[in-house]
Structures are given as C-alpha cells and as structure tokens.
C-alpha cells in the first residue's frame, strides 16, 4: 500500500511541478502551499547521489543553488552559492495524523503507518554483516518506495533539505536553514565515478556530464572548506577525524590480503576515503552539525543515538532509511524548524533514544551464522574470505622463516574492538591474548603467533 501510494504521489507532485515550471517561477508554490504539500519546489535544480556501487536504496543527495534566487542577502566576497543537502523524507512514518497542525493533504487510510513505525522500532537499524544478506530497517518494497528515484528525467523526490551558505574564503558557515522540498531525480554516481569526475580522470567525458562536473566542483570546494575549518575549531570534529584516519589505515592493512577484490561500501574492512567519500562525509557532517545548531538555538530537544552525541560529532537525521533514531530526529527537526507538526517533548525524545538503544542491543545479540561450519560451505562472508587468504599468506611467511615454534615477533595494529589486531603487511585479523585492559584503536604493537588455522580463519597472538 505504501509503494502504491508513493507512486501516485510522485506522479501528482511531478505534474504540478511541471505546471509551475512552465509558468516560469516557483513563487506560486509559496502562495498556494497545499499544491505541493507545502514544499519548496527545487525540481528545476540538478543534484547528484553519490553512494556505493551496490547501494540498493539511496537516501541522500547533494545540490547547489544561487543564493540570489532565494531573496536572501548575498555577500559577493563570500560566495554566490548555497550548498543543498537533500535527505529522503520519511516523516510520514513517524507522525500521527493528530500531531500535524498544518492543512496538508490527508494521509491515505490504506497505508498502516503505525505498523511500519512499530517494525522500525523493533528493528532499530539495518544490518549488512549477516551471511544470508542484509537485514533492513523496513521491508525492501517500503524502502524502495521512500528512497530516491535516480536518473529518470521527469521523476521527483520528496526531501528534507538543508541549505548552507559557506564563506569560500575561510569555510565559515554564514547561514543555514531547513526546508521541506521537492527535488529532481538526481544523477546516480558511485564513489569511484564521483572521484574520477573530480580528478578529470575520465577520458572523453560526454558533454552531458558537464553540469554534473560543475556541480561537484562547486559543492566539493564549499564542503571541504567548511570541513577544514570545522576540524580546526571543533574538538569533536578533531577526534572524529582521528578515528576515521585510524580506520582508514587499518582498512588499508586489511585490504593488503591477496586475491580479494576491494569494495567501496565499508563491508569487510573496505573503508575508504576517496574524494567522493570525503565529499559525502563532509556533506552529512555539515547536515548533522547545522541541524544540531539550529535545534539548540530553538532550545528544543532532538533524539540522538546512544554514544553519538554532539561531543563525538555523531550523525543526526542523515540515514532515516537505515536507522530508526534518524527518522525520529527528522520528524522533530521538521516540527521545530519547518513548523510541520507538533514537536516531541524532552521525555518523548529520551524515550525514542531508549527504544533505539534497546533495539540495537537486541539485534547485536543475533549470532552471525558465519561462525557455523554448516553455513560456511554455502555462505562465506567477505571478511572470512579475506581472512583465509591473509592467513595462508602469513602461514607461508612463517614457514619460510622457521615456523610458528620460532616465536617470531610480528608487527600489528589494534582495531580498537575487543582487543583484535591486524597484522601489518598481511591484513590478517587476530585475537590478542595477554592484554591488560583494552588496546586503543590505531595503537601499534608487537605480537607473537600462538595459533594459526588458515582454513578456519583463526589466528591467535599474544602481546610481547
């Protein structure tokens, strides 16, 4: 029912956007807000989705807008542009009809939003590390209905859009706000595609990509300038950058295992920070920072995932198709910053955080079936294949230098999780014995192999 309703809704809104554009201006949508559900029409502006090649559901995109087109004050010395960060609008799932204080179109009675919301509450978040495939926050047909429609000329998407005005001289965030919008169907790019365009490494680039290249260039310049300043003045951003740099270093070591093709989505130790990755990361970091700042100025609470508070530079409302708490955060931001619906109380925000934490704890206790030998023969995880390959390489090295009984010392680096380390130069992950306390992520150590079984993917070491 949700999928059918969303399809009809897209067609209805697309038709009215076309009529508005033919008339030559989007001002009519401000005078008659109910035509487009009270949304700002940005369907004439291009935007891009940058995600992993394997992404099934895209929930964010990036665009730009001339500041002068908004009627807001322009500082010619600062920038002509506003950066637009679009997040898929899933707020229907988290609003009760009674909580809406606007004259919006009535919601369809055949879509059981309460059932979908309850499902999201129980699941908490999507998981992608299980051998039988991903476990999604919502049924895939629902996620597909709510996610971005890409690369379709006349399609539109309902979004929550952060606009940000950044001083291109020093990266200072001069102005920002949140809007309920309708945006065009974005150009879908992989991280590698976006990086290649930014680095001019595509031979004979078609003329049709000229606008995309210009958009990426302007957006990247603004976002990275802001991110650079943000890391200089924000302690949480500094700590986050350090964590990401450590994770990238560890990932590069893991990827050194021979014979395994690297991915671009973070699965199986494939964490990367190409220009495409950094651009998206900066955009989502800006979205979270700006929304948090705007909510603080409004003196209103907003739900956050446990352990991802402002002091850690955690994301906020950027992944509503994958995390329940982000959907609730989006709902609260719309209520406070866009006057759409009644805001949640402090207690309701705390309760939402507790619900998300319980769901995360519950799903974390699901034992991964990749540890079951009966399943491994048919469903071997990316991590396991990489581990087996790396251990064979390590085993050959040990055999050529005297074997395990020679008590050889090898270099490793801590992952920061459960005293696991990665053998430098090989990429094998090991359990480290003899540790008093916890190894800090990124800490380099000297270890000695005490047990190795390449076929089972087992490597135990002890701290020297």
């Amino acid at each position: 029912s949700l999928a059918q309703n969303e399809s009809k809704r897209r067609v209805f809104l697309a038709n009215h956007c076309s009529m508005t554009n033919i008339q030559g201006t989007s001002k009519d949508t401000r005078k008659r807000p109910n035509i487009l559900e009270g949304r700002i029409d940005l369907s004439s502006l291009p935007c891009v989705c940058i995600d992993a090649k394997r992404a099934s559901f895209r929930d964010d995109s990036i665009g730009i807008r001339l500041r002068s087109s908004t009627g807001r004050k322009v500082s010619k010395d600062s920038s002509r542009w506003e950066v637009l960060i679009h997040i898929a609008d899933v707020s229907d799932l988290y609003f009760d009809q009674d909580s809406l204080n606007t004259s919006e179109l009535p919601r369809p009675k055949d879509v059981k939003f309460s059932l979908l919301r309850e499902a999201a509450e129980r699941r908490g978040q999507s998981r992608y590390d299980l051998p039988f495939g991903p476990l999604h926050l919502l049924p895939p047909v629902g996620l597909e209905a709510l996610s971005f429609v890409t690369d379709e000329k006349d399609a539109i998407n309902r979004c929550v859009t952060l606009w940000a005005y950044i001083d291109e001289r020093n990266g200072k965030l001069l102005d920002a706000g949140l809007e309920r919008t309708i945006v065009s169907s974005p150009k879908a790019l992989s991280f590698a595609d976006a990086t290649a365009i930014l680095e001019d490494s595509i031979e004979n680039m078609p003329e049709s990509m000229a606008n995309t290249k210009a958009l990426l260039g302007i957006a990247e310049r603004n976002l990275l300038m802001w991110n650079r300043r943000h890391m200089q003045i924000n302690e949480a951003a500094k700590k986050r950058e350090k964590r990401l740099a450590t994770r990238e270093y560890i990932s590069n070591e893991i990827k050194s295992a021979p014979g395994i093709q690297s991915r671009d989505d973070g699965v199986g130790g494939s964490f990367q920070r190409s220009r495409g990755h950094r651009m998206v990361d900066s955009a989502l970091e800006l979205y979270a920072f700006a929304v948090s700042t705007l909510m603080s100025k409004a003196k209103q609470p907003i739900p956050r995932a446990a352990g991802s508070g402002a002091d850690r530079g955690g994301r906020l409302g950027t992944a509503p198709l994958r995390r329940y708490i982000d959907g609730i955060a989006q709902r609260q931001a719309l209520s406070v910053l866009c006057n759409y619906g009644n805001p949640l109380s402090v207690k309701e925000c705390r309760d939402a955080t507790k619900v998300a934490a319980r769901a995360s704890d519950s799903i974390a206790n699901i034992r991964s079936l990749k540890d079951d030998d009966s399943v491994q023969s048919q469903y071997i995880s990316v991590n396991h294949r990489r581990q087996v390959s790396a251990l064979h390489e390590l085993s050959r090295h040990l055999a050529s230098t005297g074997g395990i009984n020679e008590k050889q010392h090898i270099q490793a680096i801590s992952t920061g999780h459960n005293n696991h380390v990665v053998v430098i130069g090989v990429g094998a992950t090991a359990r480290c014995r003899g540790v008093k306390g916890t190894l800090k992520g990124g800490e380099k150590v000297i270890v000695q192999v005490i047990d190795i079984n390449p076929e089972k993917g087992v490597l135990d070491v002890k701290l020297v």
Side-chain angles (χ1 to χ4, degrees), residues 400-428:
S400 68
T401 54
I404 190 175
N405 293 328
E406 292 297 317
K407 299 181 180 180
Q408 299 176 57
H409 294 175
I410 56 178
Q411 291 184 321
I413 183 170
S414 170
T415 66
H417 299 288
N418 301 321
N419 286 334
H420 278 62
V421 298
V422 175
V423 178
I424 294 176
V426 176

Side-chain angles (χ1 to χ4, degrees), residues 40 48 55 64 81 251 275 279 380 417:
I40 304 301
V48 294
I64 56 175
W81 304 97
S251 177
R275 287 180 69 174
M279 181 176 171
I380 303 178
H417 299 288

Side-chain angles (χ1 to χ4, degrees), residues 428-443:
T429 304
R431 293 173 291 189
C432 191
R433 310 295 188 184
V435 178
K436 295 181 180 180
T438 305
L439 291 174
K440 185 179 180 180
E443 182 178 353

Side-chain angles (χ1 to χ4, degrees), residues 223-291:
L223 289 168
L224 295 190
M225 183 66 74
W226 171 82
N227 190 55
R228 194 174 297 117
R229 175 186 172 87
H230 187 55
M231 286 191 293
Q232 291 173 350
I233 64 176
N234 186 285
E235 193 62 32
K238 291 179 185 178
K239 292 179 179 179
R240 183 175 183 274
E241 173 62 22
K242 188 174 181 179
R243 293 196 301 270
L244 292 177
T246 298
R247 187 178 174 191
E248 182 181 28
Y249 180 83
I250 293 171
S251 177
N252 288 337
E253 289 297 330
I254 292 174
K255 287 187 292 186
S256 65
I260 301 297
Q261 185 177 4
S262 179
R263 297 170 58 145
D264 65 347
D265 54 3
V267 174
S270 60
F271 183 76
Q272 298 178 31
R273 289 210 294 172
S274 66
R275 287 180 69 174
H277 286 88
R278 288 175 184 270
M279 181 176 171
V280 173
D281 185 68
S282 295
L284 298 182
E285 183 74 3
L286 172 57
Y287 185 98
F289 173 80
V291 169

Side-chain angles (χ1 to χ4, degrees), residues 56-84:
S56 300
F57 313 110
R58 298 173 182 262
D59 57 4
D60 58 78
S61 70
I62 301 171
I64 56 175
R65 170 171 62 186
L66 280 170
R67 173 83 168 178
S68 59
S69 69
T70 67
R72 291 185 279 269
K73 183 179 178 181
V74 178
S75 171
K76 294 181 180 180
D77 293 333
S78 300
S79 179
R80 300 169 55 209
W81 304 97
E82 287 182 348
V83 176
L84 306 176

Side-chain angles (χ1 to χ4, degrees), residues 391-410 448-452 459:
L391 289 184
H392 278 294
E393 181 74 12
L394 178 61
S395 183
R396 286 191 291 269
H397 169 73
L398 292 174
S400 68
T401 54
I404 190 175
N405 293 328
E406 292 297 317
K407 299 181 180 180
Q408 299 176 57
H409 294 175
I410 56 178
Q448 178 186 322
V449 177
I450 58 177
D451 184 30
I452 181 170
L459 176 63

Side-chain angles (χ1 to χ4, degrees), residues 2 6 9 89-96 107 111-121 137-139 142-143 146 158 320-321 324 327-328 330-331:
L2 175 68
E6 286 298 317
R9 195 173 181 182
D89 189 344
V90 303
S91 58
D92 281 352
L93 271 63
Y94 301 103
F95 275 116
D96 294 323
R107 299 201 298 178
V111 180
K112 305 298 182 183
F113 290 102
S114 60
L115 292 178
L116 292 170
R117 181 166 61 250
E118 290 170 9
E121 289 176 353
L137 178 68
L138 294 169
L143 292 177
L146 294 168
R158 292 180 300 111
L321 295 183
Y324 161 77
I328 293 292
Q330 184 183 84
R331 174 221 192 277

